[in-house]
Amino acid sequence: MEPDTHDPLDGLAGTLDRLAMSMVAQGTHGLSPITLAQSWFDWLVHLATAPGKQLQLSAKSGRKVMRLTDYVARSRAGKAGTPAIVPLPQDHRFDDAAWMQPPFDLLAQSFLLGQQWWHAATTEVPGVTRHHEEVVEFVSRQLLDMVAPTNFIATNPVLQRRIAETGGHCLVEGARLFLEDMERQMRGQPPAGTEAFPVGEKVAATPGKVVYRNDLIELIQYEATTNTVRPEPVLIVPAWIMKYYILDLSPGNSLVRWLTGQGFTVFMISWHNPDAQDRDLDMDDYLRLGPLSALDAVCAITGANQVHGAGYCLGGTLLSIAGAELARRQDARFKTITLLAAQTDFSEPGELALFIDEAQINLLEGAMWSRGYLDTDQMGGAFQMLRSNDLIWSRMLNTYLMGERAPMTDLMAWNADGTRMPYAMHSEYLRRMYLDNELAKGHFRVDGHTITLSSLRQPMFVVGTERDHVAPWRSVHKIHMLSDAEVTFVLTSGGHNAGIVSEPGHPHRHYQRYTRAADTVAIDPDEWLQRAASEEGSWWPAWGTWLGDHSGGPVPPPRLGNAEAGYAPLCNAPGRYVLER
């Protein structure tokens, strides 16, 4: 019997399902309760049927009680000794000496021991799927962070000291700051302090012209600052999940300004901030209207036959797709490719995988279906939860209880200037990249043709960052397994943003670097760590030298735009699209 493939209720059923998911998403801030329920049930049932794991947890609990009891006995007897437990290196909540004084030392030690026990309880339970285990461990960590003794007046000695020193004025000031932030949020205004960094004046202020515009991008060409430049311009493809000017912040830490100072002609894509009318823009549209159209413009304006391509985050992923598509067409205009904190294999994407499974994407598709896009608040909330200690609870403690608002920086102001993601593209990106990993598997199709990253043969400069929650460096490193091209891989200090915005002279910066020659055996991340040389300072000069080594001799700088070729300057940088909210 042939299946009935034409049900007259298909359209209505699909609409009702998406509407239901949209309503659920509004109440859960885009997090799937189905994924949470499945994960907790999987963990609970398998833990209930694992007597060995239960025995281990009981023994751990007993040992922790003994360690805590021993610590209390020694400390109360006046015998200085080793604490029962010390926080992880990245946990600075208990750094103040007041946490070593009774009774607060008992609170801190009990919390840390309990946190360690819950980590053991939610991991390595036999039979639990890896994804469900990660979700349960993550959620339990969020709940523990919520009830940490640092978050409450009665259990935080540092906060109590602050209240005493200010006569309680810090609580009054914190309440004022809270009301101010709530008012701004209700009015749709940016956070307090961002007005000190107006776009085009304090940030995104490198001189240049918008030389091309279509429905999706503006292309900025920056003014030359040297008498001669390299003949191959640099085309930068930023992520569309963010405004481009993270790479052109203040003059002192602008990668764009630094590159022009090294004698390169620099072009930057500035993405349109999509709205409901752009709901049907898909990956092919972003590729065609983005880097491919920009590449045509760059070559027409400068007369260059080849271009250095550089992509950051999702922009790097799109750049690698563009490079593979051009290789399929036997188009060699990309002379080199630079990937900055950009993944090409999504099999191990880090903690972002917590928010990506079939149920979660179904929920997000419902949320986007009603609006036509994914709002910036939903994306920002997911990123904040990955670092809840630093981005949520510590901020709330310092601002609303201590009454001390952290000074706004250019990077913080940029981070608050979010963008939206169109329905079709974001759904396609999540499914094809994160869920199905089509690009790494060689299944990704562009305009009906399959492309493969093995076709990338130009030299590559790839940067990962040590503390990246968005694109873990070990995941970024997987490009070694996908292409036989020469790969210079750099691992730099910092996170996803601060590790890239790492100007020369920035204190406490270091990096490791190693080049895998073309057509040689790929090495795994651990072996790479052993081979890579360590260097102090910013990685920018190393990149500049690498670009110079792969460039021709100096030539006079090109003019801004090229009216004869159809690319007359349209307006001053930073253009219109970056100002869209």
Side-chain angles (χ1 to χ4, degrees):
M1 179 183 294
E2 293 185 2
D4 183 6
T5 58
H6 300 288
D7 191 317
L9 293 178
D10 280 348
L12 176 61
T15 299
L16 290 175
D17 288 344
R18 286 191 291 268
L19 182 60
M21 287 297 100
S22 175
M23 295 174 65
V24 172
Q26 292 179 15
T28 62
H29 300 285
L31 295 178
S32 171
I34 298 173
T35 292
L36 295 178
Q38 289 174 333
S39 301
W40 282 103
F41 184 76
D42 187 6
W43 170 77
L44 186 61
V45 170
H46 281 95
L47 181 61
T49 55
K53 182 67 173 180
Q54 294 175 30
L55 179 62
Q56 285 182 320
L57 292 175
S58 298
K60 285 179 180 291
S61 178
R63 290 196 298 269
K64 292 183 187 305
V65 170
M66 293 176 62
R67 285 165 59 188
L68 184 62
T69 302
D70 177 67
Y71 167 76
V72 172
R74 286 186 289 106
S75 62
R76 300 307 181 264
K79 299 178 181 179
T82 304
I85 187 173
V86 295
L88 295 172
Q90 67 270 22
D91 187 352
H92 299 286
R93 289 175 292 183
F94 304 103
D95 285 354
D96 195 286
W99 285 105
M100 296 303 295
Q101 302 300 318
F104 304 106
D105 59 341
L106 180 59
L107 291 173
Q109 293 284 287
S110 299
F111 173 79
L112 292 172
L113 287 168
Q115 183 177 254
Q116 190 182 63
W117 185 89
W118 272 106
H119 174 75
T122 54
T123 57
E124 298 182 0
V125 176
V128 179
T129 65
R130 179 180 175 183
H131 178 61
H132 288 166
E133 177 184 284
E134 291 171 345
V135 170
V136 170
E137 194 276 333
F138 174 78
V139 172
S140 67
R141 183 161 26 104
Q142 301 304 306
L143 295 174
L144 287 169
D145 287 344
M146 188 185 303
V147 299
T150 49
N151 296 339
F152 305 97
I153 296 176
T155 55
N156 187 332
V158 182
L159 178 55
Q160 292 177 11
R161 184 177 64 208
R162 172 71 174 166
I163 294 173
E165 290 173 348
T166 63
H169 181 72
C170 64
L171 297 178
V172 176
E173 179 64 13
R176 186 190 68 80
L177 295 175
F178 175 78
L179 293 174
E180 179 185 7
D181 289 348
M182 289 298 99
E183 182 180 3
R184 282 177 170 268
Q185 187 173 13
M186 292 175 64
R187 292 183 176 181
Q189 296 176 335
T194 55
E195 58 274 4
F197 298 93
V199 176
E201 298 178 29
K202 295 293 186 180
V203 294
T206 301
K209 298 285 186 181
V210 173
V211 294
Y212 172 68
R213 179 186 296 125
N214 61 31
D215 292 339
L216 190 57
I217 70 164
E218 289 181 328
L219 182 65
I220 301 171
Q221 180 184 0
Y222 293 96
E223 293 181 3
T225 58
T226 54
N227 293 328
T228 60
V229 297
R230 298 299 183 134
E232 299 86 1
V234 178
L235 170 60
I236 301 178
V237 184
W240 54 90
I241 198 174
M242 58 180 72
K243 298 289 181 71
Y244 82 85
Y245 65 89
I246 185 174
L247 303 175
D248 186 25
L249 288 172
S250 302
N253 59 359
S254 166
L255 179 61
V256 167
R257 190 178 293 260
W258 182 84
L259 271 176
T260 60
Q262 304 305 304
F264 293 98
T265 300
V266 180
F267 289 81
M268 174 74 74
I269 288 177
S270 175
W271 297 98
H272 162 58
N273 195 3
D275 54 27
Q277 296 179 347
D278 303 306
R279 62 181 299 127
D280 294 326
L281 288 173
D282 59 16
M283 286 290 293
D284 278 350
D285 293 323
Y286 268 72
L287 178 64
R288 175 176 53 85
L289 297 175
L292 295 184
S293 292
L295 180 63
D296 291 340
V298 170
C299 293
I301 290 170
T302 63
N305 294 320
Q306 289 192 300
V307 173
H308 296 300
Y312 177 33
C313 188
L314 304 186
T317 306
L318 190 64
L319 176 65
S320 67
I321 294 172
E325 169 62 8
L326 291 177
R328 186 190 66 80
R329 303 178 189 176
Q330 298 183 334
D331 185 332
R333 282 181 290 172
F334 277 134
K335 189 169 187 178
T336 68
I337 288 179
T338 296
L339 304 179
L340 307 177
Q343 298 179 92
T344 49
D345 183 329
F346 292 80
S347 58
E348 296 178 322
E351 290 189 322
L352 274 182
L354 293 163
F355 306 104
I356 299 171
D357 57 26
E358 191 65 50
Q360 182 66 54
I361 293 178
N362 183 51
L363 185 75
L364 285 176
E365 287 175 339
M368 293 187 293
W369 173 82
S370 62
R371 289 183 171 183
Y373 57 82
L374 184 67
D375 194 43
T376 181
D377 292 339
Q378 289 179 296
M379 290 186 292
F383 289 127
Q384 284 186 335
M385 281 193 291
L386 293 180
R387 296 176 54 203
S388 60
N389 273 351
D390 300 327
L391 300 181
I392 299 179
W393 303 114
S394 292
R395 173 178 170 271
M396 293 181 66
L397 169 66
N398 291 327
T399 306
Y400 304 138
L401 294 178
M402 295 282 195
E404 299 174 330
R405 190 187 295 281
M408 183 63 65
T409 65
D410 53 5
L411 187 59
M412 293 167 62
W414 163 83
N415 192 55
D417 190 8
T419 59
R420 296 175 289 274
M421 309 279 269
Y423 168 63
M425 183 282 301
H426 196 50
S427 173
E428 188 178 4
Y429 188 86
L430 291 177
R431 288 189 176 279
R432 298 180 67 183
M433 297 298 179
Y434 282 94
L435 204 60
D436 298 332
N437 201 21
E438 290 183 9
L439 187 59
K441 293 178 179 178
H443 300 160
F444 195 89
R445 296 175 68 83
V446 173
D447 197 23
H449 301 280
T450 301
I451 63 166
T452 173
L453 296 182
S454 62
S455 64
L456 297 178
R457 302 297 300 165
Q458 54 271 85
M460 304 178 73
F461 192 95
V462 183
V463 180
T465 66
E466 291 177 347
R467 300 192 304 275
D468 200 326
H469 295 268
V470 179
W473 79 265
R474 290 175 179 270
S475 180
V476 175
H477 183 273
K478 290 178 181 292
I479 187 63
H480 287 83
M481 314 298 173
L482 302 176
S483 171
D484 290 329
E486 173 194 294
V487 177
T488 297
F489 190 83
V490 169
L491 176 61
T492 182
S493 55
H496 188 70
N497 298 327
I500 301 302
V501 184
S502 183
E503 70 281 2
H506 195 295
H508 312 301
R509 288 291 189 244
H510 60 266
Y511 64 94
Q512 292 177 261
R513 176 175 47 161
Y514 180 79
T515 298
R516 192 276 309 270
D519 299 315
T520 58
V521 176
I523 58 175
D524 64 31
D526 292 324
E527 186 177 355
W528 182 92
L529 281 174
Q530 296 176 359
R531 296 188 186 186
S534 298
E535 302 181 49
E536 294 297 318
S538 166
W539 60 268
W540 289 9
W543 183 40
T545 300
W546 183 86
L547 286 173
D549 291 342
H550 292 86
S551 299
V555 298
R559 56 185 172 174
L560 294 177
N562 187 338
E564 292 80 3
Y567 295 98
L570 302 176
C571 63
N572 290 330
R576 294 196 326 230
Y577 285 174
V578 73
L579 301 177
E580 295 175 332
R581 293 189 180 274

